[in-house]
């Protein structure tokens, strides 16, 4: 039996595949997995961050991924950590960095609304692999007629495999999780729960080949027992002191659907080569599903009878009903998250924003439904529908951006709310608490924000704003709570009012 | 004209009244007020704390009253600040100290529920005066037939004035303000808004003489024009660089009501001499009203035609409807806060508490209504009424403590709620936002807390609790979010479940 102190960490977990730098294939090497487990068990790591009990810092990166960095470090894989952060800086410097490692980054609000397409947000589960495309091969094994290895060059050759382009929204199941965190201070017990907001979603045009075609043309089809296709990624995944390659699956039924464009092997995004952050040289794009199924850096596909038994899908991306939690959660009583339900978000105005207007507030955001449903109707405050012309084009698998001018007469704190219906007439739960779940996935309730309305079409308000301005205390130069140094009402005016309308009845 | 640099601060604001140490009478001396204003205007002070935008510290004292200390300091009145804190330490060491100066302290939850009477919570607006009782006199002036000065000795002589005892709840209008702070990050612009919780309320038996009797026996009654009685306290009050003695008033109609016990001049509390913190040697107790009208350290009473023009009542304790705020608030468009509306609070369990139970959760708290209304009915979660025998005795002017065992089958996050009806059939607003107001006064909505329910009468839960215990990870030893280091479900069990109830339909 190998003792931990005898392991030469520097050489123990070397590259097994041609063209991989600093990356490890685990799944073919049970002895390496066992050795890594032994090393992990022999070490102590920084406890998980309990940021859900304290305010989230305003730093960027917001959270530091101490624990996963340490996991890599004790296995001699510090190079992965360094390369990942270098790649973020090179490819995506302007995101909101929610967690530096494994990298989680959210699109800035302005960028979300710039156009219908955005390639920004990123949720990774491990380091960013450094893979040489020229020697890269995709392996297909398991319940297929002919197991094969296909070079990336062949895969990209349109004379060998017919190519497709699809417009797809990929959504993290953690989108808008911050609302669930704020609702209750407790949390699921298996996750690095990045405190995502409304920007953990993105839409892009992907180019690649349908997996359906590859299975048929390269492997001569699947065996009759095959019901699921498992995707294995080059990134290393950690769970309870065990190591894995990232692994998830999609049902054969979905791979085969219509023209096969629901499950694509993609190398191009918005007309450009896929960035490393997004899975280069090759990624899976599973349309309509949770982003986590769209495996990045895919190097192997297994045709299986049952869904992937990897921890990502079986143990982590589970949706628990509100009665299940620390006291009774099991892997088998959570619902695996595949198709995403209808959801939406207000991007502008910002939550808690003070809005000075003269009777109308413009609200904009996104609306999306998974599973091939498209967005049918978006409702602003009090049921006012967004006009069709104020929504972007319909796609089977992508969001619609929307915009609405809400008539607002009232002043003070108001709730703005958006609610969406999809093409199956699904609509969103009313409140966050209506569908709070232990693992804090899928925050799809009607999105609500609070804004402070100041309506300058009211004369008393216009007058006060002018007074504040004259005293250098304009609404936007200080917080609302900053005291006015001048008197709000001269004594004579007050007395005039008091005597005209006394506080108490006369008799 | 006196220049600020020529003022000898050490002697400028001396004691004017016999037996007052370090305290200033301002109201008789306009030249002193003008001088103090000049000094205040010539100085810069620490800005108001914007704690409503950041988490409230867990320290005790919670907040430090920098600004009001500095006001006293520049006027050479540092001795007041020091004496006040010494008095807190001597008389009330075990409160939750919300603000050290002017002192604001909240009763601890255990003490609230210990008995029906508690003399604990304190909300002061200035320093605690150090007054020699032996030479103390109460002055009565204004619209009375005969202005008088009465020694405390005479006032306490039962052969001169008939005495009364009343059981009264005094409630700060800031009780449960923390809920309004948490609802919106904005704030009123005129206040040191102490972040009060459910303990800013107390009930005591006061002994003293009805003001009605004193006016009649000592002053020969009031003049026909008199409609309000103003109370002036020895503490110094600051507002926009001006100084005042604390001043508030009550309507003559209330002073005269029934036997006169609604407005008492009191020197005894719960059978003991009134503590200095609570207003010794003499205070007013205005039953059914906001605590702020029960003037402490009262040394003068003015019979007036109109209510007090002092800033406490006219500019500070105002209730604004939700459409009024920074942009349009005036002193004349707020409602002065007198009688307190019906309200209640859950004291146990605590908000966000994890409760391990076997089917019942015990909830307890207080319920109160001002203006001579008493508490008629208290409702726990889902409308279950508290039984009459589980509420304390009815009084015209005091709270009822209550207790209820709620049947709880569900697990996970639950909302517990209390709602009260008073004898006029007033009941509480549904949500905090239903009656949010700019100055954050009077948080009287149905009180809601979140608890995490773990029901051990469910076998799966009992089993998991035992497993957690065996791994040294009992529910109460770590936060709910602490990951279980053991697997939640062995692979064999998971597969058995999966094969019995597959995730996908067969066809």
């Amino acid at each position: 039996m190998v003792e931990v102190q005898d392991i030469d960490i520097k050489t123990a977990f070397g590259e097994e595949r041609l063209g991989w730098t600093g990356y490890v294939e685990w799944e073919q090497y049970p002895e390496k997995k066992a050795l890594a487990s032994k090393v992990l068990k022999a070490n102590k790591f920084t406890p998980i961050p309990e940021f859900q009990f304290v305010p989230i810092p305003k730093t960027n990166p917001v959270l530091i991924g101490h624990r996963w960095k340490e996991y890599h470090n004790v296995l001699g894989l510090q190079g992965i950590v360094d390369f990942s952060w270098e790649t973020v800086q090179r490819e995506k410097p302007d995101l909101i960095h929610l967690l530096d490692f494994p990298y989680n980054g959210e699109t800035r609000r302005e960028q979300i609304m710039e156009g219908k397409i955005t390639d920004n947000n990123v949720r990774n589960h491990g380091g960013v692999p450094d893979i040489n495309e020229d020697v890269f091969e995709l392996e297909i094994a398991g319940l297929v007629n002919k197991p094969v290895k296909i070079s990336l060059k062949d895969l990209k050759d349109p004379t060998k495999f017919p190519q497709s382009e699809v417009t797809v929204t990929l959504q993290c199941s953690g989108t808008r999780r911050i609302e669930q965190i704020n609702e209750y201070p407790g949390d699921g017990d298996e996750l690095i729960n990045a405190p995502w907001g409304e920007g953990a979603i993105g839409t892009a045009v992907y180019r690649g080949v349908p997996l359906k075609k590859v299975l048929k043309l390269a492997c001569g089809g699947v065996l009759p027992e095959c019901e699921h296709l498992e995707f294995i990624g080059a990134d290393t995944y950690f769970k309870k002191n065990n190591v894995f390659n990232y692994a998830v699956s999609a049902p054969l039924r979905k791979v085969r659907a219509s023209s096969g464009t629901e499950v694509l092997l993609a190398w191009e995004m918005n007309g450009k080569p896929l960035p490393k952050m997004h899975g280069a040289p090759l990624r899976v794009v599973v349309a309509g599903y949770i982003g986590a199924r769209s495996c990045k850096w895919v190097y192997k596909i297994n045709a299986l009878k049952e869904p992937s038994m990897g921890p990502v899908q079986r143990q982590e991306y589970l949706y628990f009903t509100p009665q299940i939690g620390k006291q009774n959660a099991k892997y088998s009583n959570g619902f695996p998250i595949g198709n995403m339900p209808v959801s939406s978000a207000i991007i502008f105005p910002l939550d808690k924003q003070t809005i000075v207007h003269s009777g109308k507030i413009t609200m904009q955001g996104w609306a999306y439904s998974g599973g091939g449903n498209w967005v049918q109707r978006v409702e602003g405050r009090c049921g006012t529908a967004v006009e069709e012309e104020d929504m972007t084009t319909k796609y089977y698998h992508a969001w619609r951006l929307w915009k609405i001018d809400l008539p607002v007469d009232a002043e003070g704190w108001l709730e703005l709310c958006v609610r969406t219906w999809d093409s199956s007439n699904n609509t969103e739960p009313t409140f966050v608490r209506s569908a709070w779940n232990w693992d804090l996935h899928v925050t799809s309730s009607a999105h609500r924000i609070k804004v402070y309305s100041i309506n300058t079409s009211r004369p008393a308000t216009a007058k006060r704003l002018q007074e504040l301005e004259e005293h250098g205390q304009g609404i936007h130069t200080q917080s609302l709570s900053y005291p006015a140094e001048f008197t709000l009402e001269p004594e004579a005016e007050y007395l005039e009012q008091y005597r005209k309308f006394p506080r108490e009845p006369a008799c």
Side-chain angles (χ1 to χ4, degrees), chain A residues 468-479:
Chain A
L468 285 165
E469 209 62 59
E470 284 162 11
H471 287 81
Q473 296 183 348
I475 288 292
H476 287 301
T477 51
Q478 264 139 356
S479 79

